[in-house]
């Protein structure tokens, strides 16, 4: 028996804010599902439900089901806005790339094959692409890169699901100028400690400990802007390296007061270590920025910052023909929200006719 196809068209009308600390983002999306009138009867269409799985704060939901007589289709139109959860992977923060996503599930509340639309599958609308309305992207510290849609049919659990993934890259300038640069300058000031005579241990330790407490305060500021994660980010590693060097400087100040000839070689060693540390982190920052560019130029490349699941190899999928990975699409200007609403009004008029 030939599978009944449900065509999907999705569009991100706006993305206004991406919050790293709460791992959420605010978005406004338009979804259209198209059902062939020869394959789905009126009762089946009336029982269809569309649900967003990762929404945490729904601000607006408008759903309309109507007929498109010219296309011989039932069409479900949905405009949804709210706050959505997205688990971010921050190993390379602030040079990370995120695939923020909207997850939808389609099911029937009528008893057709245990709630599943019997014998049907989801696929991308071949006549249109998944879109992002570029002028609607207002997340200040991120830049949109590409958009992709994935369809998933799970015969074991009797539901259909699809995802709209928007790949974005973080703009690191804010973090480099407000966190990394001050840390670099503060730790560099430890060179002033070695100007003070080794015998004057009180003055030396007061300067070193003041710088150490300042770096600790900066570390707390960084921690407050990130979620609690069980690994170190790039920025964590840099701040810990700065903290470790200051701790070593404090220990050196104490040893220099009791060991003759220890101060000069220790000062050279500390300065060399800090210079090499900054060269190493500078090279790693350059490599990560190149990685951002590569992921943007090739949307099909796997993003290591997100938890990727190969839907085709999922053990629950014993019918791989019902799964179609939607082709990666470059960012293009989507239809305005007014056009989406006109489509809804036209479908209602067609249904009335």
């Amino acid at each position: 028996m030939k599978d009944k196809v449900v065509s999907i068209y999705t569009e991100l009308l706006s993305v206004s804010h991406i919050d790293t600390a709460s791992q959420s983002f605010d978005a406004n999306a338009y979804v259209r599902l198209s059902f062939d009138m020869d394959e789905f009867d009126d009762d089946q269409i009336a029982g269809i439900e569309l649900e967003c799985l990762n929404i945490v704060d729904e601000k607006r939901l408008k759903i309309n089901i109507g007929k498109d007589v010219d296309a011989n289709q039932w069409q479900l139109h949905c405009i949804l806005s709210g706050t959505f959860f997205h688990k971010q992977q921050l190993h390379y923060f602030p040079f990370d790339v995120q695939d923020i996503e909207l997850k939808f599930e389609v099911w029937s509340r009528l008893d057709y094959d245990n709630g599943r639309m019997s014998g049907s599958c989801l696929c991308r609308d071949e006549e249109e692409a998944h879109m992002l309305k570029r002028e609607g992207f207002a997340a200040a510290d991120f830049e949109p890169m590409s958009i992709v849609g994935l369809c998933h049919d799970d015969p074991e659990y009797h539901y259909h699901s699809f995802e709209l993934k928007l790949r974005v890259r973080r703009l690191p300038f804010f973090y480099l100028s407000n966190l990394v640069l001050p840390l670099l300058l503060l730790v560099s000031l430890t060179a002033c400690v070695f100007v003070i005579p080794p015998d004057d241990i009180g003055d030396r330790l007061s300067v070193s400990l003041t710088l150490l407490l300042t770096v600790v305060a900066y570390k707390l500021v960084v921690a407050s802007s990130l979620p609690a994660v069980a690994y170190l980010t790039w920025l964590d590693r840099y701040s810990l390296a700065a903290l470790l060097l200051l701790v070593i400087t404090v220990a050196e100040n104490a040893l220099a007061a009791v060991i003759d000839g220890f101060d000069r070689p220790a000062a050279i060693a500390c300065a060399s270590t800090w210079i090499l540390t900054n060269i190493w982190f500078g090279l790693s920052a350059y490599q990560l920025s190149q990685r951002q560019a590569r992921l943007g130029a090739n949307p099909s490349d796997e993003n290591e910052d997100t938890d990727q699941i190969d839907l085709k190899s999922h053990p629950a999928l014993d019918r791989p023909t019902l799964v179609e990975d939607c082709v990666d699409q470059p960012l293009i200007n989507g239809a305005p929200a007014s056009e989406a609403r006109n489509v809804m009004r036209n479908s209602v008029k067609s249904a009335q006719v």
Side-chain angles (χ1 to χ4, degrees):
M1 183 180 68
K2 182 180 178 181
D3 295 319
K4 297 180 287 187
V5 176
V6 181
S7 298
I8 306 168
Y9 169 72
T10 52
E11 180 178 348
L12 270 176
L13 301 175
S14 67
V15 177
S16 58
H17 179 61
I18 302 176
D19 190 339
T20 301
S22 64
Q23 303 198 70
S24 63
F25 64 96
D26 297 332
N28 185 15
Y30 167 70
V31 180
R32 183 182 70 231
L33 302 179
S34 301
F35 309 83
D36 195 308
M37 294 174 64
D38 296 332
E39 297 179 340
F40 295 88
D41 57 38
D42 295 3
D43 292 336
Q44 285 178 306
I45 296 298
I48 289 175
E49 296 285 350
L50 175 65
E51 181 180 1
C52 183
L53 300 179
N54 63 323
I55 189 168
V56 293
D57 183 14
E58 183 180 295
K59 296 182 175 66
R60 181 189 179 198
L61 176 62
K62 184 176 182 181
I63 297 180
N64 172 267
I65 299 179
K67 290 182 180 179
D68 186 341
V69 179
D70 295 334
N72 193 37
Q73 290 180 337
W74 290 96
Q75 290 188 344
L76 183 149
H77 303 272
C78 173
I79 292 182
L80 174 66
S81 63
T83 301
F84 303 84
F85 173 78
H86 166 66
K87 183 180 179 181
Q88 298 186 20
Q89 297 295 324
L90 303 168
H91 294 87
Y92 305 126
F93 176 87
F95 300 96
D96 53 315
V97 176
Q98 301 294 336
D99 288 338
I100 63 173
E101 58 189 4
L102 298 177
K103 298 180 180 180
F104 294 94
E105 184 175 289
V106 185
W107 55 284
S108 175
R109 63 175 178 265
L110 302 180
D111 191 20
Y112 288 96
D113 194 13
N114 294 325
R116 179 174 168 270
M117 293 177 291
S118 179
S120 63
C121 66
L122 297 177
C123 74
R124 180 173 62 89
D125 192 331
E126 295 296 338
E127 297 181 357
E128 299 180 271
H130 303 284
M131 297 183 185
L132 167 70
K133 189 178 179 183
R134 186 180 285 272
E135 58 269 27
F137 188 88
D141 54 340
F142 285 88
E143 180 182 32
M145 303 174 74
S146 61
I147 192 166
V148 62
L150 295 174
C151 302
H152 179 197
D153 179 35
D154 193 329
E156 179 177 349
Y157 295 102
H158 308 291
Y159 68 84
H160 304 282
S161 64
F162 61 95
E163 304 170 3
L164 182 64
K165 292 189 176 184
L166 173 65
R167 177 165 292 181
V168 297
R169 75 180 186 96
R170 192 185 305 273
L171 302 176
F173 179 78
F174 172 83
Y175 301 95
L176 295 179
S177 60
N178 290 278
L179 294 175
V180 175
L181 182 59
L183 276 178
L184 188 152
L185 296 177
L186 284 172
V187 177
S188 299
L189 287 176
T190 56
C192 299
V193 173
F194 299 101
V195 179
I196 304 173
D199 295 336
D200 197 353
I201 187 172
D203 290 342
R204 273 197 163 198
L205 287 177
S206 64
V207 174
S208 300
L209 290 174
T210 299
L211 292 173
L212 179 61
L213 293 176
T214 305
V215 171
V216 170
Y218 261 88
K219 184 70 177 70
L220 295 176
V221 171
V222 174
S224 65
S225 62
L226 295 176
V229 293
Y231 50 83
L232 295 177
T233 68
W234 182 93
L235 192 56
D236 287 332
R237 290 192 289 270
Y238 185 81
S239 60
L240 286 176
L243 187 63
L244 180 61
L245 185 66
L246 285 173
V247 171
I248 293 175
T249 302
V250 172
E252 187 277 337
N253 292 337
L255 292 175
V258 295
I259 302 177
D260 293 335
F262 181 77
D263 189 56
R264 183 175 178 81
I268 295 175
C270 288
S272 301
T273 301
W274 182 235
I275 292 173
L276 292 175
T277 298
N278 280 280
I279 291 175
W280 187 88
F281 276 98
L283 291 175
S284 67
Y286 174 77
Q287 292 178 346
L288 291 176
S289 63
Q290 293 297 108
R291 173 182 174 274
Q292 284 186 322
R294 175 179 60 81
L295 289 175
N298 301 285
S300 60
D301 286 358
E302 182 177 349
N303 178 15
E304 299 173 2
D305 285 355
T306 57
D307 297 327
Q308 299 289 338
I309 298 177
D310 185 358
L311 297 180
K312 287 187 175 181
S313 63
H314 196 280
L317 299 178
D318 55 4
R319 291 192 294 171
T321 56
L322 298 185
V323 180
E324 175 180 342
D325 289 341
C326 301
V327 180
D328 295 340
Q329 301 292 337
L331 281 174
I332 56 178
N333 289 329
S338 58
E339 182 175 329
R341 297 188 183 95
N342 289 334
V343 172
M344 296 180 67
R345 285 195 289 268
N346 292 336
S347 66
V348 174
K349 293 178 180 179
S350 299
Q352 293 175 346
V353 172

